[in-house]
Amino acid sequence: VQLQASGGGSVQAGGSLRLSCAASGSQNIINVMGWYRQAPGNLRELVAGITRGGSTNYADSVKGRFTISRDIAKNTVYLQMNNLQPRDTAVYYCTAEEVVMDSTPHTKDYWGQGTQVTVSS
């Protein structure tokens, strides 16, 4: 599975960005898709996730400002980020969980290459 993320960039505080991530190359169901971020010197942290059924979860720090959505047909996940703040500056990584239904059903996790989001005050 390949994950291609796009949409990062530089904005001023209060601005908005929309990240997109398309999954390709899978012959199986993609269950959960989501976004993590990592700022310099920090651990990678979950930003938001969405299941195939549409259930979502968010980090407390982004609730009310970020919205995750998904296009099942396109295997694409989006992250609408509003009211961005300098603390949101990080590399954002897309993730996808593939459900492999073979003799031993299991899941496999994939990561995108990361896209930089920079918010200036």
Side-chain angles (χ1 to χ4, degrees):
V1 176
Q2 294 79 45
L3 299 176
Q4 183 65 46
S6 62
S10 297
V11 296
Q12 290 189 326
S16 298
L17 285 173
R18 188 190 194 212
L19 304 182
S20 300
C21 177
S24 62
S26 175
Q27 302 299 316
N28 300 298
I29 290 175
I30 302 295
N31 185 18
V32 181
M33 298 188 78
W35 295 92
Y36 282 72
R37 68 186 180 186
Q38 187 169 19
N42 289 357
L43 297 175
R44 192 171 297 188
E45 62 176 358
L46 174 69
V47 177
I50 184 167
T51 68
R52 188 173 182 83
S55 296
T56 60
N57 66 299
Y58 295 92
D60 287 343
S61 59
V62 306
K63 285 180 180 177
R65 299 187 298 124
F66 292 10
T67 302
I68 190 169
S69 60
R70 182 171 176 178
D71 186 327
I72 298 294
K74 296 181 178 179
N75 262 342
T76 299
V77 64
Y78 306 95
L79 186 67
Q80 178 66 42
M81 304 184 292
N82 297 329
N83 191 22
L84 282 160
Q85 299 300 316
R87 65 179 183 270
D88 297 315
T89 295
V91 177
Y92 284 69
Y93 296 90
C94 170
T95 68
E97 177 189 83
E98 180 189 35
V99 180
V100 182
M101 298 300 291
D102 56 15
S103 58
T104 308
H106 59 282
T107 60
K108 294 180 67 175
D109 294 332
Y110 297 88
W111 292 83
Q113 82 281 10
T115 184
Q116 177 70 45
V117 171
T118 302
V119 185
S120 58
S121 57

